[in-house]
Amino acid sequence: MASNLEQRWRLVLGRFANKHLGSVPLNKQQSQQDQVLEQLYKKQLERRGLRTSGTLDDSRLQVVDWLHQADRLFPKTVREKIQGHAVHEFGIKELLKNKDCLSNLTPNMALLKQLLAVRAELSPELMQEVRRIIQTVVDELLQQLQPKFNQTFSGRLNRHQNSPQPVLANLDWAKTIRRNLKYYDRQRQCLLPQTIYFSSRSQKHLPWRVILCLDQSGSMMDSVIYSAVIAGILARLPCVDLKLVLFDTNVVDLSAKAHDPVEVLLSSQMCGGTHIAKAWSYCQQLAEQPRRTVIVTISDFEEGASPSALLLQAAQMLESGIKMLGITAMAADATPFYDLATTSKLGQLGMEIASLSPDVFADWLAKAMEL
Protein backbone atom coordinates (compact mmCIF):
# COMPACT_ATOMS: atom_id res chain seq x y z
CA MET A 1 0.00 0.00 0.00
CA ALA A 2 1.66 3.24 -1.15
CA SER A 3 1.77 6.12 1.29
CA ASN A 4 0.19 9.48 0.51
CA LEU A 5 3.66 11.03 0.29
CA GLU A 6 4.80 8.44 -2.27
CA GLN A 7 1.70 9.09 -4.36
CA ARG A 8 2.27 12.85 -4.26
CA TRP A 9 5.88 12.41 -5.41
CA ARG A 10 4.67 10.09 -8.16
CA LEU A 11 2.29 12.80 -9.42
CA VAL A 12 5.02 15.44 -9.28
CA LEU A 13 7.61 13.34 -11.13
CA GLY A 14 5.27 11.59 -13.59
CA ARG A 15 4.89 7.96 -14.66
CA PHE A 16 8.42 7.83 -16.03
CA ALA A 17 9.73 7.98 -12.47
CA ASN A 18 8.30 4.53 -11.73
CA LYS A 19 11.60 2.85 -12.55
CA HIS A 20 13.20 4.82 -9.74
CA LEU A 21 10.31 4.91 -7.27
CA GLY A 22 9.01 1.45 -7.97
CA SER A 23 5.41 0.89 -9.00
CA VAL A 24 3.33 3.38 -7.00
CA PRO A 25 -0.40 2.61 -7.32
CA LEU A 26 -2.68 5.61 -7.86
CA ASN A 27 -6.37 5.79 -7.14
CA LYS A 28 -8.88 6.79 -9.83
CA GLN A 29 -8.69 10.54 -9.17
CA GLN A 30 -4.90 10.52 -8.98
CA SER A 31 -4.72 8.64 -12.30
CA GLN A 32 -6.87 11.30 -13.91
CA GLN A 33 -4.68 14.03 -12.37
CA ASP A 34 -1.65 12.26 -13.81
CA GLN A 35 -3.15 12.36 -17.31
CA VAL A 36 -3.93 16.07 -17.03
CA LEU A 37 -0.36 16.85 -15.94
CA GLU A 38 1.18 14.70 -18.68
CA GLN A 39 -0.90 16.45 -21.33
CA LEU A 40 0.41 19.80 -20.13
CA TYR A 41 4.06 18.86 -19.76
CA LYS A 42 4.13 16.59 -22.85
CA LYS A 43 6.59 18.70 -24.82
CA GLN A 44 9.07 18.84 -22.00
CA LEU A 45 8.88 15.07 -21.62
CA GLU A 46 9.39 14.52 -25.35
CA ARG A 47 12.46 16.77 -25.36
CA ARG A 48 13.89 14.36 -22.80
CA GLY A 49 13.31 11.46 -25.23
CA LEU A 50 10.19 10.07 -23.54
CA ARG A 51 7.20 8.78 -25.51
CA THR A 52 3.89 10.35 -24.52
CA SER A 53 0.30 10.35 -25.72
CA GLY A 54 -2.31 13.08 -25.72
CA THR A 55 -1.59 16.74 -26.33
CA LEU A 56 -3.13 20.15 -25.87
CA ASP A 57 -2.17 21.07 -29.44
CA ASP A 58 -4.74 18.78 -31.14
CA SER A 59 -7.74 21.11 -31.05
CA ARG A 60 -9.51 23.80 -29.08
CA LEU A 61 -11.96 21.17 -27.93
CA GLN A 62 -9.06 19.30 -26.37
CA VAL A 63 -7.98 22.46 -24.52
CA VAL A 64 -11.50 23.08 -23.19
CA ASP A 65 -11.74 19.47 -22.01
CA TRP A 66 -8.35 19.77 -20.30
CA LEU A 67 -9.53 22.91 -18.47
CA HIS A 68 -12.68 21.15 -17.27
CA GLN A 69 -10.60 18.26 -15.99
CA ALA A 70 -8.09 20.53 -14.24
CA ASP A 71 -10.93 22.48 -12.62
CA ARG A 72 -12.56 19.28 -11.37
CA LEU A 73 -9.45 17.43 -10.19
CA PHE A 74 -7.20 20.01 -8.55
CA PRO A 75 -7.58 22.47 -5.65
CA LYS A 76 -7.60 26.18 -6.51
CA THR A 77 -3.93 26.91 -5.74
CA VAL A 78 -2.66 23.98 -7.86
CA ARG A 79 -5.14 24.79 -10.64
CA GLU A 80 -3.89 28.39 -10.84
CA LYS A 81 -0.28 27.19 -11.04
CA ILE A 82 -0.76 24.71 -13.87
CA GLN A 83 -3.02 27.12 -15.80
CA GLY A 84 -0.28 29.72 -15.47
CA HIS A 85 2.24 27.26 -16.89
CA ALA A 86 -0.11 26.43 -19.76
CA VAL A 87 -0.51 30.07 -20.77
CA HIS A 88 2.85 31.61 -19.91
CA GLU A 89 5.55 28.96 -20.09
CA PHE A 90 4.11 26.73 -22.83
CA GLY A 91 2.44 29.42 -24.92
CA ILE A 92 -0.96 27.75 -25.24
CA LYS A 93 -2.65 30.96 -26.33
CA GLU A 94 -5.81 29.09 -27.35
CA LEU A 95 -6.69 29.40 -23.67
CA LEU A 96 -6.95 33.17 -24.09
CA LYS A 97 -8.36 33.35 -27.61
CA ASN A 98 -11.32 31.01 -27.25
CA LYS A 99 -14.41 32.02 -25.26
CA ASP A 100 -15.07 28.53 -23.93
CA CYS A 101 -11.46 28.23 -22.75
CA LEU A 102 -11.45 31.69 -21.24
CA SER A 103 -14.68 31.13 -19.32
CA ASN A 104 -13.15 28.06 -17.64
CA LEU A 105 -9.94 29.73 -16.47
CA THR A 106 -9.66 30.60 -12.78
CA PRO A 107 -9.28 34.40 -12.34
CA ASN A 108 -5.98 35.23 -10.61
CA MET A 109 -3.09 37.70 -10.84
CA ALA A 110 -1.05 35.53 -13.23
CA LEU A 111 -3.98 35.22 -15.65
CA LEU A 112 -4.73 38.95 -15.38
CA LYS A 113 -1.15 39.81 -16.40
CA GLN A 114 -1.33 37.45 -19.38
CA LEU A 115 -4.62 38.96 -20.55
CA LEU A 116 -3.26 42.48 -20.30
CA ALA A 117 -0.16 41.44 -22.25
CA VAL A 118 -2.10 39.91 -25.18
CA ARG A 119 -5.38 41.88 -25.11
CA ALA A 120 -4.53 43.62 -28.41
CA GLU A 121 -4.68 40.17 -30.06
CA LEU A 122 -8.06 39.27 -28.59
CA SER A 123 -11.27 39.60 -30.58
CA PRO A 124 -13.92 42.14 -29.48
CA GLU A 125 -16.41 39.38 -28.59
CA LEU A 126 -14.00 38.15 -25.91
CA MET A 127 -13.77 41.47 -24.10
CA GLN A 128 -16.84 40.85 -21.92
CA GLU A 129 -15.20 37.69 -20.58
CA VAL A 130 -11.88 39.53 -20.18
CA ARG A 131 -13.62 42.25 -18.17
CA ARG A 132 -15.23 39.64 -15.94
CA ILE A 133 -11.86 38.08 -15.14
CA ILE A 134 -10.20 41.44 -14.50
CA GLN A 135 -13.11 42.58 -12.31
CA THR A 136 -12.92 39.38 -10.22
CA VAL A 137 -9.21 39.85 -9.52
CA VAL A 138 -9.67 43.58 -8.83
CA ASP A 139 -12.49 42.83 -6.37
CA GLU A 140 -10.24 40.38 -4.49
CA LEU A 141 -7.49 43.00 -4.25
CA LEU A 142 -10.00 45.61 -3.08
CA GLN A 143 -11.15 43.30 -0.29
CA GLN A 144 -7.54 42.92 0.83
CA LEU A 145 -6.52 46.59 0.65
CA GLN A 146 -9.59 48.76 1.23
CA PRO A 147 -9.94 48.12 4.99
CA LYS A 148 -6.34 49.24 5.55
CA PHE A 149 -6.78 52.47 3.58
CA ASN A 150 -10.14 53.24 5.19
CA GLN A 151 -8.67 52.77 8.65
CA THR A 152 -5.57 54.84 7.88
CA PHE A 153 -7.44 57.77 6.31
CA SER A 154 -10.51 57.78 8.56
CA GLY A 155 -9.19 60.77 10.56
CA ARG A 156 -7.52 61.50 13.86
CA LEU A 157 -9.13 60.78 17.19
CA ASN A 158 -11.05 63.76 18.54
CA ARG A 159 -10.01 63.93 22.22
CA HIS A 160 -12.50 66.72 22.91
CA GLN A 161 -15.61 64.75 22.03
CA ASN A 162 -16.73 61.60 23.83
CA SER A 163 -18.16 58.68 21.93
CA PRO A 164 -20.87 56.31 23.14
CA GLN A 165 -19.32 53.53 21.05
CA PRO A 166 -17.10 51.32 23.29
CA VAL A 167 -14.43 50.55 20.68
CA LEU A 168 -11.02 49.60 22.04
CA ALA A 169 -9.19 51.50 19.30
CA ASN A 170 -10.96 54.70 20.48
CA LEU A 171 -10.29 54.21 24.20
CA ASP A 172 -9.15 57.48 25.79
CA TRP A 173 -6.64 56.11 28.28
CA ALA A 174 -5.50 59.46 29.68
CA LYS A 175 -9.01 60.73 30.40
CA THR A 176 -10.15 57.40 31.83
CA ILE A 177 -7.22 57.25 34.27
CA ARG A 178 -7.49 60.93 35.23
CA ARG A 179 -11.24 60.83 35.93
CA ASN A 180 -11.00 57.60 37.94
CA LEU A 181 -7.99 58.33 40.15
CA LYS A 182 -10.28 58.64 43.19
CA TYR A 183 -11.16 54.97 42.75
CA TYR A 184 -7.58 53.78 43.21
CA ASP A 185 -7.47 50.78 45.58
CA ARG A 186 -4.34 51.14 47.71
CA GLN A 187 -4.61 47.65 49.15
CA ARG A 188 -4.75 45.96 45.76
CA GLN A 189 -2.55 48.66 44.18
CA CYS A 190 -4.77 48.95 41.14
CA LEU A 191 -7.28 51.34 39.61
CA LEU A 192 -10.94 50.34 39.67
CA PRO A 193 -12.47 52.67 37.08
CA GLN A 194 -16.17 53.38 37.36
CA THR A 195 -16.49 55.12 33.99
CA ILE A 196 -14.62 54.31 30.75
CA TYR A 197 -14.19 57.15 28.25
CA PHE A 198 -13.95 56.73 24.48
CA SER A 199 -13.06 59.35 21.87
CA SER A 200 -14.96 59.86 18.66
CA ARG A 201 -13.22 60.03 15.30
CA SER A 202 -13.34 63.29 13.40
CA GLN A 203 -13.09 63.20 9.64
CA LYS A 204 -10.44 65.53 8.27
CA HIS A 205 -11.13 67.11 4.92
CA LEU A 206 -7.78 68.53 3.87
CA PRO A 207 -7.26 69.93 0.41
CA TRP A 208 -4.45 67.51 -0.35
CA ARG A 209 -4.01 66.69 -4.02
CA VAL A 210 -2.46 63.26 -4.54
CA ILE A 211 -1.04 62.57 -8.00
CA LEU A 212 -0.27 58.94 -8.77
CA CYS A 213 2.30 58.92 -11.57
CA LEU A 214 2.60 55.37 -12.92
CA ASP A 215 5.33 54.01 -15.16
CA GLN A 216 3.46 51.73 -17.59
CA SER A 217 6.49 50.20 -19.31
CA GLY A 218 6.37 46.41 -19.67
CA SER A 219 8.48 45.64 -16.59
CA MET A 220 6.04 47.49 -14.31
CA MET A 221 2.92 45.36 -14.86
CA ASP A 222 2.54 44.17 -11.26
CA SER A 223 2.94 47.71 -9.98
CA VAL A 224 0.39 49.11 -12.43
CA ILE A 225 -2.20 46.50 -11.41
CA TYR A 226 -1.85 47.24 -7.70
CA SER A 227 -1.65 50.99 -8.31
CA ALA A 228 -4.86 50.95 -10.36
CA VAL A 229 -6.65 49.28 -7.45
CA ILE A 230 -5.20 51.77 -4.97
CA ALA A 231 -6.25 54.65 -7.23
CA GLY A 232 -9.80 53.30 -7.12
CA ILE A 233 -9.69 53.35 -3.31
CA LEU A 234 -8.15 56.82 -3.01
CA ALA A 235 -10.60 58.29 -5.52
CA ARG A 236 -13.42 57.53 -3.07
CA LEU A 237 -11.78 59.11 -0.02
CA PRO A 238 -13.12 62.61 0.85
CA CYS A 239 -9.72 63.81 2.13
CA VAL A 240 -7.99 63.08 -1.21
CA ASP A 241 -8.22 64.98 -4.49
CA LEU A 242 -6.79 62.31 -6.79
CA LYS A 243 -5.14 62.65 -10.17
CA LEU A 244 -3.93 59.58 -12.07
CA VAL A 245 -1.21 59.88 -14.70
CA LEU A 246 0.31 57.00 -16.68
CA PHE A 247 3.44 57.37 -18.75
CA ASP A 248 6.02 55.66 -20.93
CA THR A 249 7.50 58.02 -23.53
CA ASN A 250 4.06 59.64 -23.66
CA VAL A 251 1.81 60.89 -20.87
CA VAL A 252 -1.85 59.91 -20.43
CA ASP A 253 -4.14 61.48 -17.83
CA LEU A 254 -6.64 58.87 -16.61
CA SER A 255 -7.98 60.89 -13.69
CA ALA A 256 -11.53 60.65 -15.02
CA LYS A 257 -11.31 56.84 -14.87
CA ALA A 258 -9.41 56.57 -11.60
CA HIS A 259 -12.49 55.36 -9.67
CA ASP A 260 -12.70 52.29 -11.95
CA PRO A 261 -9.57 50.07 -11.80
CA VAL A 262 -10.84 47.83 -14.61
CA GLU A 263 -11.07 50.76 -17.05
CA VAL A 264 -7.64 52.00 -15.95
CA LEU A 265 -6.06 48.60 -16.63
CA LEU A 266 -7.75 48.25 -20.01
CA SER A 267 -6.57 51.77 -20.91
CA SER A 268 -2.94 51.11 -19.96
CA GLN A 269 -0.37 50.20 -22.61
CA MET A 270 2.16 48.09 -20.64
CA CYS A 271 4.91 48.76 -23.16
CA GLY A 272 7.22 51.44 -24.50
CA GLY A 273 10.15 53.34 -23.06
CA THR A 274 10.44 55.59 -20.02
CA HIS A 275 10.41 59.41 -19.89
CA ILE A 276 9.92 60.34 -16.25
CA ALA A 277 10.91 64.00 -16.60
CA LYS A 278 8.18 64.52 -19.20
CA ALA A 279 5.59 62.95 -16.89
CA TRP A 280 6.76 65.08 -13.95
CA SER A 281 6.51 68.23 -16.03
CA TYR A 282 2.85 67.39 -16.67
CA CYS A 283 2.23 66.52 -13.02
CA GLN A 284 3.72 69.85 -11.93
CA GLN A 285 1.01 71.62 -13.94
CA LEU A 286 -1.61 69.74 -11.87
CA ALA A 287 -0.10 70.94 -8.59
CA GLU A 288 -2.28 74.04 -8.15
CA GLN A 289 -1.27 74.26 -4.46
CA PRO A 290 2.26 72.83 -4.36
CA ARG A 291 2.46 72.71 -0.56
CA ARG A 292 -0.76 70.69 -0.50
CA THR A 293 0.35 68.27 -3.21
CA VAL A 294 1.95 64.84 -3.02
CA ILE A 295 3.26 63.27 -6.22
CA VAL A 296 3.75 59.51 -5.89
CA THR A 297 5.82 58.04 -8.71
CA ILE A 298 5.80 54.26 -9.15
CA SER A 299 8.67 53.34 -11.47
CA ASP A 300 11.93 51.45 -11.85
CA PHE A 301 13.47 54.92 -12.43
CA GLU A 302 15.39 53.77 -15.49
CA GLU A 303 15.07 57.10 -17.30
CA GLY A 304 15.27 56.78 -21.07
CA ALA A 305 15.83 60.50 -21.61
CA SER A 306 18.42 62.89 -20.15
CA PRO A 307 19.30 62.04 -16.50
CA SER A 308 20.31 65.64 -15.86
CA ALA A 309 16.92 66.89 -17.12
CA LEU A 310 15.23 64.43 -14.75
CA LEU A 311 17.18 65.73 -11.75
CA LEU A 312 16.55 69.36 -12.74
CA GLN A 313 12.81 68.73 -13.01
CA ALA A 314 12.78 67.00 -9.60
CA ALA A 315 14.69 69.87 -8.00
CA GLN A 316 12.22 72.44 -9.35
CA MET A 317 9.24 70.50 -8.01
CA LEU A 318 10.73 69.94 -4.57
CA GLU A 319 11.73 73.60 -4.33
CA SER A 320 8.13 74.63 -5.08
CA GLY A 321 6.98 72.73 -1.99
CA ILE A 322 5.63 69.59 -3.65
CA LYS A 323 6.17 66.44 -1.61
CA MET A 324 7.63 63.74 -3.82
CA LEU A 325 7.45 60.05 -3.00
CA GLY A 326 8.94 57.31 -5.14
CA ILE A 327 8.04 53.61 -5.07
CA THR A 328 10.31 51.11 -6.84
CA ALA A 329 7.88 48.19 -6.54
CA MET A 330 4.19 47.85 -5.83
CA ALA A 331 3.38 44.16 -5.48
CA ALA A 332 2.51 41.69 -2.75
CA ASP A 333 6.16 40.82 -2.03
CA ALA A 334 7.53 44.32 -2.83
CA THR A 335 10.54 42.79 -4.60
CA PRO A 336 12.62 45.83 -5.61
CA PHE A 337 14.08 46.44 -9.04
CA TYR A 338 15.29 49.93 -9.89
CA ASP A 339 18.14 52.13 -11.11
CA LEU A 340 20.29 52.60 -8.02
CA ALA A 341 22.26 55.58 -9.35
CA THR A 342 19.13 57.57 -10.28
CA THR A 343 17.26 56.85 -7.05
CA SER A 344 20.33 57.77 -4.98
CA LYS A 345 20.61 61.16 -6.69
CA LEU A 346 16.89 61.83 -6.32
CA GLY A 347 17.14 60.90 -2.64
CA GLN A 348 19.93 63.42 -2.17
CA LEU A 349 17.62 66.10 -3.58
CA GLY A 350 15.01 65.29 -0.93
CA MET A 351 12.71 62.82 -2.66
CA GLU A 352 11.66 59.90 -0.43
CA ILE A 353 12.02 56.57 -2.27
CA ALA A 354 11.22 53.09 -0.98
CA SER A 355 10.13 49.60 -2.02
CA LEU A 356 6.72 49.00 -0.49
CA SER A 357 3.91 46.50 -0.45
CA PRO A 358 0.47 48.06 -1.11
CA ASP A 359 -0.74 47.84 2.50
CA VAL A 360 2.35 49.66 3.85
CA PHE A 361 1.88 52.39 1.24
CA ALA A 362 -1.29 53.59 3.01
CA ASP A 363 0.65 54.57 6.15
CA TRP A 364 3.46 56.18 4.13
CA LEU A 365 1.08 58.34 2.14
CA ALA A 366 -0.91 59.37 5.22
CA LYS A 367 2.32 60.47 6.92
CA ALA A 368 3.26 62.59 3.90
CA MET A 369 -0.20 64.19 4.05
CA GLU A 370 0.36 64.92 7.77
CA LEU A 371 -2.74 62.92 8.77
Side-chain angles (χ1 to χ4, degrees), residues 234-254:
L234 293 176
R236 294 171 171 83
L237 295 178
C239 61
V240 173
D241 176 18
L242 182 72
K243 297 294 182 181
L244 180 62
V245 175
L246 273 64
F247 71 93
D248 39 45
T249 53
N250 295 307
V251 180
V252 180
D253 191 328
L254 294 181

Side-chain angles (χ1 to χ4, degrees), residues 1-278:
M1 184 72 177
S3 68
N4 182 259
L5 181 60
E6 289 175 321
Q7 291 172 323
R8 288 171 67 88
W9 272 112
R10 164 62 181 78
L11 286 172
V12 170
L13 297 174
R15 62 185 171 90
F16 298 99
N18 276 340
K19 62 181 179 180
H20 300 291
L21 296 176
S23 180
V24 178
L26 301 177
N27 60 36
K28 182 179 179 180
Q29 179 173 330
Q30 290 170 332
S31 297
Q32 293 173 332
Q33 289 175 326
D34 193 43
Q35 284 185 320
V36 168
L37 293 173
E38 185 170 317
Q39 281 182 289
L40 175 59
Y41 299 108
K42 172 181 180 292
K43 290 183 179 179
Q44 277 191 337
L45 294 171
E46 289 180 342
R47 282 198 292 266
R48 291 159 52 190
L50 302 173
R51 182 175 298 177
T52 63
S53 61
T55 171
L56 292 180
D57 295 334
D58 294 342
S59 67
R60 288 184 173 180
L61 181 61
Q62 182 77 4
V63 174
V64 173
D65 181 64
W66 179 84
L67 281 169
H68 280 302
Q69 293 293 326
D71 185 61
R72 181 175 64 86
L73 294 169
F74 292 97
K76 183 175 184 290
T77 53
V78 177
R79 186 166 69 245
E80 290 179 0
K81 179 69 70 175
I82 62 177
Q83 286 181 3
H85 286 176
V87 176
H88 182 59
E89 297 187 25
F90 301 109
I92 305 175
K93 288 191 176 180
E94 285 81 359
L95 295 176
L96 303 182
K97 294 183 179 180
N98 178 270
K99 187 174 182 179
D100 291 332
C101 293
L102 204 56
S103 64
N104 282 282
L105 288 171
T106 302
N108 56 71
M109 276 289 288
L111 176 59
L112 172 54
K113 289 191 285 186
Q114 289 300 318
L115 286 172
L116 292 176
V118 302
R119 67 185 184 279
E121 305 173 32
L122 303 180
S123 60
E125 56 266 26
L126 288 178
M127 290 313 297
Q128 182 176 354
E129 194 61 36
V130 171
R131 285 178 180 274
R132 179 191 68 81
I133 292 173
I134 295 176
Q135 186 68 65
T136 300
V137 179
V138 164
D139 288 344
E140 290 178 357
L141 293 175
L142 283 170
Q143 288 180 5
Q144 295 171 22
L145 297 174
Q146 189 145 17
K148 173 63 176 177
F149 277 80
N150 288 345
Q151 178 185 5
T152 301
F153 289 90
S154 62
R156 290 179 177 174
L157 288 173
N158 184 351
R159 301 296 181 186
H160 303 290
Q161 182 179 345
N162 293 329
S163 169
Q165 299 299 324
V167 181
L168 180 59
N170 297 350
L171 179 59
D172 191 336
W173 290 97
K175 188 173 184 179
T176 297
I177 294 172
R178 187 172 62 253
R179 294 288 181 89
N180 288 279
L181 283 175
K182 58 185 176 182
Y183 302 113
Y184 181 76
D185 189 321
R186 295 182 180 275
Q187 185 176 357
R188 298 183 189 179
Q189 294 187 338
C190 64
L191 190 68
L192 303 175
Q194 301 301 302
T195 305
I196 308 297
Y197 295 91
F198 295 88
S199 301
S200 65
R201 287 190 174 270
S202 61
Q203 185 73 38
K204 294 193 72 176
H205 298 273
L206 298 176
W208 278 99
R209 171 159 290 181
V210 176
I211 304 173
L212 289 185
C213 186
L214 311 183
D215 182 345
Q216 64 172 346
S217 57
S219 62
M220 297 297 298
M221 186 174 292
D222 278 61
S223 294
V224 171
I225 292 171
Y226 277 100
S227 299
V229 173
I230 287 173
I233 296 172
L234 293 176
R236 294 171 171 83
L237 295 178
C239 61
V240 173
D241 176 18
L242 182 72
K243 297 294 182 181
L244 180 62
V245 175
L246 273 64
F247 71 93
D248 39 45
T249 53
N250 295 307
V251 180
V252 180
D253 191 328
L254 294 181
S255 301
K257 298 181 178 181
H259 65 284
D260 188 343
V262 175
E263 284 300 319
V264 170
L265 291 174
L266 289 174
S267 300
S268 63
Q269 298 300 315
M270 305 296 188
C271 62
T274 307
H275 198 333
I276 304 172
K278 183 177 182 180

Side-chain angles (χ1 to χ4, degrees), residues 209 211 243 245 253 255 282-288 293:
R209 171 159 290 181
I211 304 173
K243 297 294 182 181
V245 175
D253 191 328
S255 301
Y282 178 82
C283 291
Q284 188 175 17
Q285 299 174 35
L286 301 177
E288 298 170 358
T293 300

